[in-house]
Amino acid sequence: MKTQGKTHKVGDHIDTDAIIPARFLVTSDPAKLGANCMAGLEPDWVKRVNKGDILVAGRNFGCGSSREHAPIAILGAGIPVVVGHSFARIFYRNAFNMGLPLLEIGDEVDKIADGDKLEIDLEKGSLRNLTKDLEIPFQPIPPTMREILDCGGLVGYVGKRLSGDK
Amino acid sequence: MKQNLTYKILQRHTSDKITEPGQIVQCKVDMVLANDITGPLAIRSFEGMGAKKVFDKDKIALVMDHFTPQKDIDSANQVRISRKFAEEQNLTHYYEGGDSGVEHTLLPELGLANPGDLIVGADSHTCTYGGIGAFATGMGSTDIAAAMALGETWLKVPQVIRVIYDGELADFVSAKDLMLTLIGIIGVDGALYQGLEFTGPVIDRLPIEGRLTMANMAIEAGAKTGIFPIDDLLRQWRAEEGLSADLYLEADKDAVYARDVEIDATGLEPVVACPHIPSNVKKISSLPPTEIQQVVIGSCTNGRYSDLEAAAKVFKGRKVKKGVRCIVLPSTPKVWKKALKNGLIEIFMEAGCIVGPATCGPCLGGHMGILGDAERAVATTNRNFKGRMGSLDSEIYLASPVSAAASAVLGRVASPAEL
């Protein structure tokens, strides 16, 4: 995966109720969920997002409910990757399972300002802040997660295993 | 390696030898759970994987509890998808309507969550079953779909924090206060990627329903699991419930923990988690007068019989303050019937409470008690995130059942000591 995009920065402990409030969980359609992405933070947040933009989060992003609708809403809003200080564990699994890579960068997150342009190359393991001309290191993505991403998510990954079992 | 209880339970479910935290192990699961929100998504993923049959029709539970009784057309359609799947797969444990209750109260009651089990659920509060000595953790729908198809899942062996509660509990201080106190100390990511094990003299004496309350909120500290001892108190409770009580499993005496958190329970006062994060914990006695418009007593945290009984003691002979809607939701049909038989429902009604069905409803801002702009609630639920119960301008204070009941009577955030 190689991508470039403008960042939208959010704070610490953004919970999944903020990412997609429960009242929208009556559907699992990515477009419908995407249209309400971050509605629990700010009702019209998603209106400022253009396809390909990158979400930059603080500590413990995605804490709270296990709703998989949260990474689906982010993908549905056109955001292909999230960079953050750290991620809540259920959200971490869910994001990769849905094909949304997460880059964990700890305190380096302070080197990215809202609106900065980032370039990410997952194969090369590189994250660059183009606005500030900085290379930012990130925690390597574990092999299990890479395999899942390579299959487009867990559905593809298990599908492969089930068809191999036959 | 000397093993803690978490690793011992995990080891029962994997052929990989557990040697260190961080290791990824493939584990067999005893029960796989989903609800009316997460189930339909799991079913879609299951079908997308090309899976045809669930691994074991007796080891999957689908519980329609979040928007039950279904609040609108879309949420009713979610149940239709779940019901159809349960019929096609001939699932033994499908619950809706009058059979259903709040999933994390229902499963231990039905013996579908047992000590020593490994349980995964598409609900973050699946960690509740740690209260009865199970390794139980929440996941997303697609992880659950994989577990429904394969009967196994991968887990990273977590580091484990040991929480030791010493001392004596004062009047009106309950399991909820003990857990909120811990979350206040370590923070909402204090146990991120880690497990919790609870121990100490206070825990040894703590009734099982209180342990379930505490384990329920392990996720609110970011934890993967929150496991309580498999001890005589648990075996006795199991026997009384008519469930098997023959498992003996405990942490090695000199097991290694990532760290210890010691809490002296003597001198603790009733607390609340103030808006908008569960770690914003304060003594009720330290708060300025804080008027409220709603109280919710129920949920997978505090909707069990002993919770209702404690609240009823506070309500007996008292009235809910005018201008406050106090909603009591017994968590399962069994809890409801016992509360009815023993006169608790009458006490709630005489006090002016609204007694409703077993549902998650208001906890997640689903229905049956939504907050308007600038409204404030005291709730026995588990999350007080901004907007969780309704308007983005509303506020939630998390409290124990007795504190919630006292707040309903006084019309402000209060503890029973003030009555």
Side-chain angles (χ1 to χ4, degrees):
Chain A
M1 179 195 177
K2 199 171 168 181
T3 190
Q4 261 190 26
K6 194 182 113 176
T7 62
H8 300 278
K9 211 169 169 184
V10 295
D12 292 340
H13 308 301
I14 300 295
D15 58 271
T16 52
D17 280 275
I19 298 170
I20 185 80
R23 62 183 180 279
F24 300 118
L25 303 185
V26 290
T27 175
S28 43
D29 179 52
K32 283 187 195 166
L33 292 169
N36 294 298
C37 183
M38 293 293 171
L41 189 68
E42 206 185 298
D44 290 331
W45 186 90
V46 75
K47 288 195 178 150
R48 68 176 82 151
V49 176
N50 291 309
K51 194 172 162 49
D53 285 359
I54 294 168
L55 185 60
V56 178
R59 285 172 192 274
N60 197 29
F61 182 77
C63 60
S65 148
S66 68
R67 62 192 68 164
E68 202 166 87
H69 310 67
I72 298 175
I74 293 170
L75 284 166
I79 297 166
V81 56
V82 183
V83 177
H85 180 285
S86 53
F87 298 94
R89 62 158 284 277
I90 301 177
F91 179 81
Y92 185 86
R93 284 183 82 121
N94 283 349
F96 284 93
N97 286 347
M98 293 297 101
L100 174 70
L102 307 178
L103 302 186
E104 199 171 326
I105 61 170
D107 291 337
E108 300 282 322
V109 77
D110 296 339
K111 295 181 181 162
I112 305 171
D114 189 54
D116 282 358
K117 200 168 180 190
L118 301 184
E119 183 183 68
I120 293 167
D121 187 333
L122 284 189
E123 278 68 42
K124 277 170 52 187
S126 132
L127 164 62
R128 282 194 72 73
N129 184 335
L130 299 177
T131 308
K132 296 200 165 65
D133 194 23
L134 274 175
E135 183 75 29
I136 298 173
F138 61 89
Q139 292 281 333
I141 295 173
T144 315
M145 296 319 205
R146 287 206 69 104
E147 274 178 61
I148 292 170
L149 274 186
D150 289 344
C151 296
L154 190 66
V155 168
Y157 178 84
V158 177
K160 214 167 120 185
R161 178 168 159 186
L162 285 174
S163 57
D165 283 350
K166 274 173 198 158
Chain B
M1 185 175 79
K2 296 289 184 186
Q3 287 196 324
N4 55 48
L5 182 56
T6 307
Y7 296 176
K8 283 198 177 179
I9 299 172
L10 211 46
Q11 188 65 76
R12 286 160 57 94
H13 298 86
T14 180
S15 54
D16 304 329
K17 175 96 186 110
I18 292 176
T19 53
E20 57 182 355
Q23 194 186 349
I24 288 182
V25 289
Q26 199 68 23
C27 295
K28 295 217 176 299
V29 296
D30 296 302
M31 186 53 67
V32 184
L33 166 72
N35 57 49
D36 51 333
I37 289 180
T38 58
L41 205 47
I43 292 162
R44 194 174 74 180
S45 291
F46 182 87
E47 289 166 353
M49 288 165 183
K52 297 280 179 266
K53 268 278 181 226
V54 298
F55 81 104
D56 186 336
K57 70 181 181 60
D58 298 326
K59 292 187 175 177
I60 290 163
L62 291 184
V63 183
M64 306 297 104
D65 61 355
H66 276 60
F67 292 139
T68 200
Q70 299 325 108
K71 72 181 180 101
D72 55 19
I73 296 166
D74 285 338
S75 64
N77 284 334
Q78 301 268 81
V79 171
R80 287 181 60 227
I81 295 168
S82 310
R83 187 192 298 131
K84 181 166 166 275
F85 182 78
E87 284 169 4
E88 283 167 2
Q89 297 285 336
N90 195 23
L91 298 186
T92 312
H93 304 296
Y94 172 73
Y95 301 97
E96 72 163 290
D99 293 332
S100 194
V102 174
E103 52 193 342
H104 306 309
T105 310
L106 193 69
L107 261 58
E109 192 182 280
L110 294 173
L112 300 181
N114 299 297
D117 277 1
L118 197 156
I119 301 161
V120 293
D123 187 278
S124 61
H125 291 108
T126 301
C127 54
T128 307
Y129 316 125
I132 51 168
F135 185 111
T137 195
M139 293 181 174
S141 294
T142 299
D143 265 322
I144 287 311
M148 290 196 313
L150 305 172
E152 52 183 59
T153 192
W154 67 266
L155 288 165
K156 193 158 147 186
V157 176
Q159 290 197 320
V160 180
I161 300 172
R162 179 167 55 183
V163 188
I164 306 161
Y165 287 91
D166 205 344
E168 296 281 342
L169 294 188
D171 284 350
F172 311 127
V173 176
S174 71
K176 183 67 162 282
D177 300 290
L178 292 174
M179 194 60 191
L180 289 176
T181 298
L182 173 67
I183 297 164
I185 293 169
I186 69 173
V188 291
D189 58 354
L192 188 59
Y193 306 130
Q194 297 176 311
L196 295 170
E197 275 185 33
F198 295 87
T199 179
V202 174
I203 300 304
D204 291 341
R205 294 188 296 266
L206 190 69
I208 304 309
E209 292 196 352
R211 296 180 183 186
L212 289 163
T213 293
M214 292 181 71
N216 173 268
M217 292 190 75
I219 179 72
E220 267 59 69
K224 178 181 246 172
T225 49
I227 303 185
F228 283 71
I230 299 170
D231 58 6
D232 287 341
L233 199 64
L234 176 64
R235 282 183 284 270
Q236 190 190 329
W237 178 82
R238 298 266 304 171
E240 284 163 12
E241 296 284 311
L243 302 166
S244 67
D246 51 3
L247 182 69
Y248 289 79
L249 195 67
E250 56 184 20
D252 287 327
K253 287 274 173 286
D254 39 6
V256 176
Y257 291 91
R259 67 179 172 122
D260 282 341
V261 177
E262 290 176 52
I263 295 175
D264 183 2
T266 306
L268 284 185
E269 289 181 31
V271 294
V272 281
C274 299
H276 291 287
I277 190 161
S279 56
N280 189 15
V281 176
K282 294 185 176 141
K283 289 179 184 173
I284 293 177
S285 64
S286 74
L287 295 180
T290 310
E291 267 189 39
I292 57 168
Q293 291 73 37
Q294 176 163 300
V295 169
V296 176
I297 298 174
S299 85
C300 56
T301 316
N302 281 124
R304 298 182 184 80
Y305 184 79
S306 58
D307 298 317
L308 301 187
E309 193 179 38
K313 273 188 191 152
V314 176
F315 280 124
K316 196 169 166 75
R318 297 192 173 99
K319 292 278 181 200
V320 172
K321 178 102 168 179
K322 201 168 172 55
V324 177
R325 49 182 188 270
C326 178
I327 301 155
V328 181
L329 303 171
S331 280
T332 65
K334 187 178 172 186
V335 172
W336 224 110
K337 283 186 272 188
K338 192 171 171 189
L340 182 66
K341 189 167 166 243
N342 293 345
L344 306 188
I345 302 293
E346 194 178 351
I347 294 172
F348 296 136
M349 295 303 288
E350 286 299 330
C353 300
I354 305 162
V355 186
T359 181
C360 305
C363 171
L364 71 157
H367 65 156
M368 301 234 174
I370 302 300
L371 297 174
D373 300 334
E375 283 200 318
R376 207 176 274 137
V378 171
T380 67
T381 58
N382 41 50
R383 293 194 172 127
N384 58 352
F385 301 142
K386 198 171 178 217
R388 165 97 173 167
M389 205 175 269
S391 165
L392 277 177
D393 293 328
S394 63
E395 292 184 347
I396 306 160
Y397 287 73
L398 303 176
S400 72
V402 289
S403 298
S407 301
V409 170
L410 293 171
R412 57 178 169 83
V413 181
S415 98
E418 299 171 62
L419 289 168

